[in-house]
Amino acid sequence: GLGFAQFRSDRHTCVLDGDGAFLMHLGNVASIGAKRPQRFLHILLRNDAHESTGSQALSAKPESWAAVAQALGYQHTLITRNYETFKAQLPGLFQREGPVLVEAHIPEGTLDGLPRPTGTPADWLQMFWNQLS
């Protein structure tokens, strides 16, 4: 996300992350905070579990991931515990100087029949390159 935001600074970049991935990649979060991409929205889905690999509990569960992001240089944060608050706040978040983090609390579990990604890594790379042009 940071690389894309730096390459296409004329566009908004929105990164969707689970809290497990966020925890595993805190170095990336620190880099985002240090570089301060202006049009960068980071949405963190928080359920305190590594959901995609079997719902294992996280090894660290700070009171606020938003506070962690702010300590690492994020300019604005929002914590939301319901969809209506998130929906109401989302348009204004794109107007804020970034990086911006939304810590969205969600229940553990996945939806029945949730589709899995299709295609190959080569297909995904081509889609990414198409976004850059």
Side-chain angles (χ1 to χ4, degrees):
L2 176 58
F4 186 81
Q6 290 177 311
F7 183 74
R8 290 303 307 257
S9 61
D10 59 314
R11 291 184 172 184
H12 288 282
T13 299
C14 183
V15 171
L16 185 61
D17 234 344
D19 53 357
F22 190 85
L23 173 61
M24 291 189 299
H25 304 291
L26 280 175
N28 294 340
V29 177
S31 294
I32 292 165
K35 295 292 183 180
R36 293 192 173 158
Q38 297 300 299
R39 297 179 178 181
F40 193 94
L41 176 61
H42 197 160
I43 299 173
L44 173 64
L45 302 176
R46 180 172 187 168
N47 65 0
D48 293 330
H50 291 281
E51 192 71 57
S52 66
T53 61
S55 298
Q56 299 90 350
L58 298 187
S59 59
K61 299 175 192 172
E63 186 173 323
S64 168
W65 284 113
V68 171
Q70 277 192 315
L72 293 173
Y74 277 61
Q75 298 300 296
H76 300 282
T77 60
L78 169 72
I79 298 173
T80 181
R81 287 174 165 59
N82 66 64
Y83 173 72
E84 291 305 320
T85 301
F86 174 74
K87 183 178 170 184
Q89 296 287 329
L90 185 60
L93 295 173
F94 284 104
Q95 306 307 314
R96 299 249 181 182
E97 189 173 303
V100 175
L101 179 109
V102 176
E103 180 180 329
H105 288 249
I106 62 169
E108 200 173 314
T110 58
L111 301 173
D112 290 335
L114 183 67
R116 301 304 300 166
T118 59
T120 66
D123 296 332
W124 304 329
L125 178 62
Q126 186 60 52
M127 287 188 293
F128 177 72
W129 281 114
N130 291 344
Q131 288 291 317
L132 294 177
S133 56

